[in-house]
Every structure is written in C-alpha cells, then in structure tokens.
Amino acid sequence: MTEHNLRPTIKIGETALSTSQINVWKGDFGKSYSDRNTFESVESFQRYYRDRYGMTREEMCEEWLADLPREARILEVGPNLGYQLEALRRVGFKSLVGVEIQPYCVKKAKSMHPDITLIEGSALDIPFKDNYFDCVFSHNVLIHISPESLSTAIDEMVRTTNSYLWIFEYFSEEFEEIHYRDHDDLLWKADYGKLFVQQYPRLSILKEKIFDYLDDAPLQDKAYLLKK
C-alpha cells in the first residue's frame, strides 16, 4: 500500500462520521472483544471454524474466491485481529489490507501478522480510492452497524471494489435486533446480500449459502459473493 492509493481527504485513524456504535467499539468494549477472541495458534483458529461451520476458514477462502488470482488486492472491513486475512495469506493471496476501527486491534494485529497491511479506519469512511480493490469483504461486522448507518457502509464497500464483494454475516429474513452483552443498539441480523442488491441493483449475486452453527443451533450465518 502506498500513500497515493489513499483518499486525500481522509487521514488514517480519522473519520468524518461518528456513531454510538463506533464509540463503543473504539473503547474498552471493543478491546475486551479482541482479547476474548484471541486464538492461541493457527490450529485453534482452524478448529474453531471446523466446530462451528464444518470447514476451516482456509477451505472457505479456496471455495469462495477460487476465481481470484493470488495477486488480487483484497480488503477486509473490520478484520479485528486479522485471522481471516491470515487465512487468505496461507492459501496464497499476497495483497491483503484490513481497515479496523479499534486502535488496540490494529496495533496487536500488526505484530501478529507482519505480512498484512492493517490500518485504523471506519467502514463508514474507507480511506481508499474508488475501485482500488479487486475484492472487499466483511465477516460478522455489518451486523454491528445500525440500520441507520448501514447504507453508508454499503456505499463505501461498493465504491472501493472494482469487482467482487464477499459478505458473511448473521442471517435473518428481516432486520432483527439482538440484545448483546448488556447492550441494545449494537447487533442486528438481516439478509445482507439482499440489502446490497436493493441499494445497488447492478450488483449480481454469483453465489449464496446459509451456514448453520453446528455448535450453537439454530443460529445461522449467510455468505454471498457479489459481482459489481
């Protein structure tokens, strides 16, 4: 990543927009989330995915992004500690970037994954130029953006990809707010791929699949591969 690929009006770590959810995740609540979700090893992360979804994250990457060249530029919105990006690196992808709202996560993830570019930034204000990435993806991040702000996040994700969007989020047919760790207004389930297409009808859904939680039924995630 070089400076000329960044939007000149946005400085890393800054955002023109602030929400109550951003304030929560940038604070101690977000830091505690990262500490709770730190894995001891690659094997423990793989085991977590296998127990939950019946396949490792690497196997998901191979299945869903099989048509992308390994030189493709890929952005994760909200990578937390970077485990999903690390899985992409392990299957051969070379140009990987994460934009994360929690500064503690960015610092910790950089030390854990030195071959991946991780910067502080917001899904509502992605600090990269239009169409810079070949694929932009999220994994259980959009669920923490309020319905009032979600359209902005969708705009930003669509704006920064020149081709693919890979969405993996809690699934419900309609918006459903979930009380989360003593908080309201912090977690929602929805049909996120449908919301992308409603906002941008030119997007096509190449693939979609529901993942049942093997370890926590009847919860479900749904993945979508969209093409711009």
Side-chain angles (χ1 to χ4, degrees):
M1 183 191 73
T2 58
E3 197 69 25
H4 74 273
N5 298 317
L6 299 173
R7 293 167 65 194
T9 57
I10 301 294
K11 295 180 181 179
I12 290 177
E14 293 185 354
T15 175
L17 300 172
S18 182
T19 68
S20 60
Q21 291 80 30
I22 285 175
N23 292 335
V24 169
W25 286 105
K26 287 191 77 169
D28 289 340
F29 185 90
K31 182 176 180 293
S32 297
Y33 175 91
S34 298
D35 288 338
R36 286 195 311 273
N37 289 279
T38 299
F39 293 89
E40 295 179 357
S41 63
V42 170
E43 290 73 24
S44 62
F45 180 66
Q46 291 173 326
R47 185 166 55 251
Y48 167 80
Y49 261 77
R50 194 177 293 110
D51 290 346
R52 171 146 293 183
Y53 301 113
M55 62 194 308
T56 66
R57 183 66 181 184
E58 289 87 342
E59 289 169 335
M60 283 186 186
C61 294
E62 293 276 22
E63 175 185 344
W64 285 78
L65 302 183
D67 292 337
L68 265 72
R70 289 316 193 244
E71 293 75 23
R73 295 191 187 113
I74 299 178
L75 170 69
E76 182 176 9
V77 177
N80 196 257
L81 294 177
Y83 292 110
Q84 285 87 2
L85 288 167
E86 179 62 27
L88 285 166
R89 191 193 67 80
R90 286 198 296 272
V91 300
F93 288 100
K94 300 176 177 64
S95 183
L96 301 168
V97 179
V99 173
E100 169 59 46
I101 198 71
Q102 167 54 253
Y104 170 79
C105 285
V106 175
K107 182 178 180 180
K108 186 173 180 178
K110 281 182 175 180
S111 67
M112 295 167 61
H113 312 293
D115 296 325
I116 296 170
T117 299
L118 294 139
I119 64 174
E120 189 180 341
S122 169
L124 306 184
D125 231 351
I126 296 175
F128 285 92
K129 293 182 177 181
D130 296 0
N131 302 307
Y132 179 68
F133 294 97
D134 301 300
C135 179
V136 174
F137 79 97
S138 70
H139 185 114
N140 289 345
V141 168
L142 300 180
I143 59 174
H144 297 299
I145 297 175
S146 73
E148 293 78 15
S149 302
L150 183 62
S151 63
T152 302
I154 291 173
D155 284 343
E156 285 293 276
M157 292 178 70
V158 172
R159 178 185 67 77
T160 50
T161 184
N162 63 53
S163 192
Y164 294 101
L165 292 150
W166 184 24
I167 314 300
F168 198 110
E169 303 286 343
Y170 287 4
F171 174 70
S172 177
E173 294 285 355
E174 304 293 337
F175 265 115
E176 180 182 347
E177 185 175 352
I178 307 297
H179 187 68
Y180 177 63
R181 291 189 173 268
D182 299 324
H183 283 260
D184 292 319
D185 202 33
L186 202 58
L187 176 61
W188 295 264
K189 296 194 291 187
D191 188 344
Y192 286 93
K194 178 181 177 181
L195 295 173
F196 271 77
V197 174
Q198 284 178 345
Q199 193 162 323
Y200 286 91
R202 71 178 184 272
L203 295 174
S204 56
I205 298 179
L206 302 181
K207 181 176 181 177
E208 54 187 320
K209 179 181 177 181
I210 287 178
F211 287 84
D212 295 311
Y213 278 36
L214 304 179
D215 59 347
D216 199 2
L219 294 178
Q220 297 176 317
D221 286 346
K222 189 171 182 180
Y224 319 76
L225 186 63
L226 309 177
K227 184 75 161 54
K228 190 171 176 180

